[in-house]
C-alpha cells in the first residue's frame, strides 16, 4: 500500500518540487536545487509514473548540480545512473545530454572519448524532424565534440565551431575567443591582449549561462599572469 498522498496530489507536489528545483538551478543555488529535485524523486519512487517525474532527466540535473559543488563521486554516480536509464529506454538524445554533463567531470582521456563517441553514435541514430529539437540536438553534438577536442587544433573543434556559427550558440563560439586569448599569451607573450580576449570570452560565456566556462577562462588567464610575476593582477582574475 502506498503512502497517504494520493496520486493526483503526488503529481501536483512533484511539479512544485521540480519548478522549485529549476528556479534554484537557474539561480545557481545548487544545494537548494538538489533538495527540491530529490523531493520530486522521492515522490516518483513512491508513486511511480503517476508522479509525472522523468527520473533520468531529474538525475541529470542533480548530477550537474553535484559537480558544480565539487561533489565528484556523487555527480559521477548520479549521471551514470541517468545514462543507464536513457540507454535502457533507447533514448539517444537523453543519453547524449547526460553524457555532456558527465564529461564535465575530469577523467582519463580515453574514457572521456569513449563515452562521447557512444553518445554521438546514439544521437546520430535519432530520427527527429522537428526544427526546435534538431537545434537542441545540434547543440548537444557541439558540446560533445568540444568536450573531447584539442581546441583550435582538430576536426572535432572545427566542427563544433561550425555548428556554433550555424545556430548562434554563444558558449560554443566563446571557446574560439578563449582559444585566441590563450594563443595571444602562449605564442606572442601579449598578456594585455590575452586579458582583453579573456574578458570578451567571459562575457560571452556568462551571457549564455555557461558558468563553468566563464570561471575557467578567468582562472586560466589569472594563472598566466602569475607566471610572469603579475601577482596582483593574477589574483584579481583567478
Amino acid at each position: 500500500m502506498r503512502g497517504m498522498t494520493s496520486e493526483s496530489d503526488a503529481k501536483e507536489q512533484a511539479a512544485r518540487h521540480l519548478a522549485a528545483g529549476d528556479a534554484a538551478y537557474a539561480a545557481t543555488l545548487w544545494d537548494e536545487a538538489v533538495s527540491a529535485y530529490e523531493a520530486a524523486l522521492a515522490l516518483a519512487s513512491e508513486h511511480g509514473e503517476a508522479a509525472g517525474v522523468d527520473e533520468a532527466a531529474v538525475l541529470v540535473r542533480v548530477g550537474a548540480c553535484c559537480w558544480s559543488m565539487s561533489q565528484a563521486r556523487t555527480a559521477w554516480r548520479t549521471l551514470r545512473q541517468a545514462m543507464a536509464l536513457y540507454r535502457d529506454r533507447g533514448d539517444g538524445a537523453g543519453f547524449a545530454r547526460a553524457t555532456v554533463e558527465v564529461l564535465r567531470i575530469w577523467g582519463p582521456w580515453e574514457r572521456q572519448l569513449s563515452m562521447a563517441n557512444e553518445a554521438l553514435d546514439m544521437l546520430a541514430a535519432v530520427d527527429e524532424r522537428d526544427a526546435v529539437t534538431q537545434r537542441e540536438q545540434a547543440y548537444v553534438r557541439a558540446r560533445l565534440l568540444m568536450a573531447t577536442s584539442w581546441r583550435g587544433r582538430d576536426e572535432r573543434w572545427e566542427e563544433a565551431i561550425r555548428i556554433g556559427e550555424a545556430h548562434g550558440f554563444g558558449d560554443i563560439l566563446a571557446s574560439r575567443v578563449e582559444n585566441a586569448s590563450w594563443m595571444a599569451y602562449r605564442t606572442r607573450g601579449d598578456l594585455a591582449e590575452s586579458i582583453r580576449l579573456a574578458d570578451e570570452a567571459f562575457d560571452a560565456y556568462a551571457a549564455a549561462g555557461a558558468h563553468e566556462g566563464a570561471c575557467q577562462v578567468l582562472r586560466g588567464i589569472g594563472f598566466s599572469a602569475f607566471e610572469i610575476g603579475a601577482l596582483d593582477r593574477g589574483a584579481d582574475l583567478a
Side-chain angles (χ1 to χ4, degrees):
M1 180 177 180
R2 298 192 185 278
M4 297 298 293
T5 304
S6 68
E7 290 186 347
S8 61
D9 287 343
K11 186 171 185 178
E12 183 178 338
Q13 289 178 23
R16 287 200 300 269
H17 288 311
L18 292 174
D22 291 345
Y25 184 92
T28 68
L29 300 173
W30 312 122
D31 54 344
E32 292 185 18
V34 169
S35 295
Y37 288 139
E38 288 182 340
L41 288 171
L43 287 167
S45 177
E46 181 180 356
H47 294 275
E49 293 182 1
V53 175
D54 183 338
E55 182 181 0
V58 177
L59 287 171
V60 171
R61 280 294 179 91
V62 171
C65 290
C66 289
W67 176 241
S68 294
M69 295 187 290
S70 300
Q71 298 172 3
R73 289 184 179 179
T74 302
W76 171 264
R77 183 174 62 252
T78 304
L79 289 166
R80 293 292 289 178
Q81 182 181 354
M83 290 167 68
L85 290 173
Y86 280 127
R87 185 190 287 111
D88 289 346
R89 71 193 197 196
D91 186 341
F95 183 88
R97 288 193 300 272
T99 305
V100 164
E101 296 299 333
V102 85
L103 288 174
R104 295 170 58 208
I105 302 172
W106 305 325
W109 173 253
E110 293 79 9
R111 186 184 72 191
Q112 303 288 85
L113 189 61
S114 176
M115 289 192 298
N117 286 342
E118 181 182 8
L120 286 166
D121 288 343
M122 291 185 69
L123 189 63
V126 176
D127 182 16
E128 183 54 67
R129 295 179 174 81
D130 176 75
V132 174
T133 307
Q134 286 178 349
R135 175 181 167 83
E136 292 173 352
Q137 291 178 5
Y139 177 71
V140 171
R141 178 174 179 81
R143 287 285 303 275
L144 290 167
L145 292 168
M146 188 68 72
T148 50
S149 71
W150 294 98
R151 293 189 178 186
R153 290 171 287 175
D154 69 5
E155 293 180 358
R156 283 181 177 246
W157 190 84
E158 291 173 358
E159 183 183 347
I161 292 297
R162 287 196 298 272
I163 293 172
E165 290 175 334
H167 295 277
F169 297 141
D171 57 331
I172 300 298
L173 297 178
S175 297
R176 181 167 55 187
V177 183
E178 180 184 0
N179 185 65
S181 170
W182 188 85
M183 294 298 290
Y185 176 70
R186 292 296 172 187
T187 63
R188 303 193 301 275
D190 190 343
L191 182 62
E193 176 65 3
S194 185
I195 290 174
R196 185 191 69 79
L197 289 167
D199 284 338
E200 182 180 333
F202 173 85
D203 290 341
Y205 279 128
H211 309 293
E212 189 170 15
C215 293
Q216 175 180 293
V217 70
L218 290 187
R219 184 168 58 246
I221 192 59
F223 290 156
S224 296
F226 287 147
E227 288 182 0
I228 63 169
L231 302 183
D232 290 342
R233 186 65 172 126
D236 289 340
L237 291 164

